[in-house]
Amino acid sequence: MKLNVNLKKKIQRFCLVLICLVVLNFQSDFPNLQALPMDNYQDEMVIEELRLKVPAEVRVAWLNAEKEIWEPWLSSQDGFLGRQLFWDKEKEEALILVNWESKKLWKSIPMSEVNVVQQKFENNVKAALNVGENPFELIYEGELDKQR
């Protein structure tokens, strides 16, 4: 009788260990456990996302400066695929989506060069509106990675 109880306990423990091993084995097959950090996607397409405060009364000046300053410069950059400009009338906000062939190419552009173009943009806007400061506040900048 005592032998029977010990055998039952050993079988129960064995089954418990077996169930744990099976569960752990299936856990390792989940895709999110095998996912790579986003930094490993340096060679995949990325979208630069910018949000600006653009009041209605200066929207046309913003669009003109975008076309005269940023568009030609961006078109000359390696990896530039195109961009889209959106404007939300209610929020008076602009959304700029810039498509890049890869994050690596996008981030290889020196910040000093970007700052020079930004200064030209701001000078263009200030002259067009006859104001002393850039009226477009940067609200957000980030990136979107294409999901598989």
Side-chain angles (χ1 to χ4, degrees):
M1 183 87 156
K2 190 174 182 181
L3 182 64
N4 215 5
V5 172
N6 282 340
L7 185 62
K8 280 185 180 181
K9 283 185 180 183
K10 286 184 179 185
I11 290 174
Q12 285 176 340
R13 287 182 186 151
F14 175 77
C15 288
L16 181 62
V17 168
L18 184 63
I19 289 170
C20 289
L21 287 173
V22 168
V23 168
L24 286 173
N25 184 42
F26 282 117
Q27 288 288 329
S28 67
D29 288 337
F30 283 114
N32 59 345
L33 291 177
Q34 297 175 0
L36 298 172
M38 292 308 258
D39 287 344
N40 289 341
Y41 292 97
Q42 292 285 320
D43 294 328
E44 293 190 13
M45 188 187 99
V46 66
I47 300 171
E48 177 183 8
E49 177 185 8
L50 301 165
R51 292 184 186 274
L52 306 170
K53 190 72 177 164
V54 178
E57 62 272 9
V58 294
R59 184 178 66 88
V60 172
W62 165 70
L63 282 171
N64 288 338
E66 286 286 343
K67 289 177 184 168
E68 291 174 19
I69 307 299
W70 281 111
E71 199 168 288
W73 182 80
L74 284 168
S75 298
S76 71
Q77 298 305 307
D78 286 341
F80 173 73
L81 298 176
R83 70 185 187 135
Q84 296 174 293
L85 304 176
F86 300 92
W87 187 68
D88 184 324
K89 185 178 182 177
E90 290 179 23
K91 293 181 180 179
E92 293 190 335
E93 286 182 10
L95 169 64
I96 304 168
L97 300 175
V98 184
N99 299 310
W100 295 98
E101 186 179 319
S102 72
K103 186 174 182 175
K104 186 177 182 179
L105 288 171
W106 169 35
K107 294 297 183 176
S108 70
I109 301 168
M111 246 352 253
S112 58
E113 194 175 328
V114 174
N115 290 337
V116 167
V117 178
Q118 178 64 27
Q119 192 59 54
K120 287 180 185 177
F121 172 83
E122 290 181 18
N123 291 342
N124 179 297
V125 169
K126 291 189 280 190
L129 297 173
N130 197 24
V131 294
E133 289 185 27
N134 178 16
F136 311 122
E137 174 192 349
L138 179 64
I139 298 169
Y140 173 80
E141 61 181 317
E143 60 191 68
L144 302 168
D145 293 303
K146 185 176 180 182
Q147 300 300 296
R148 300 177 204 206

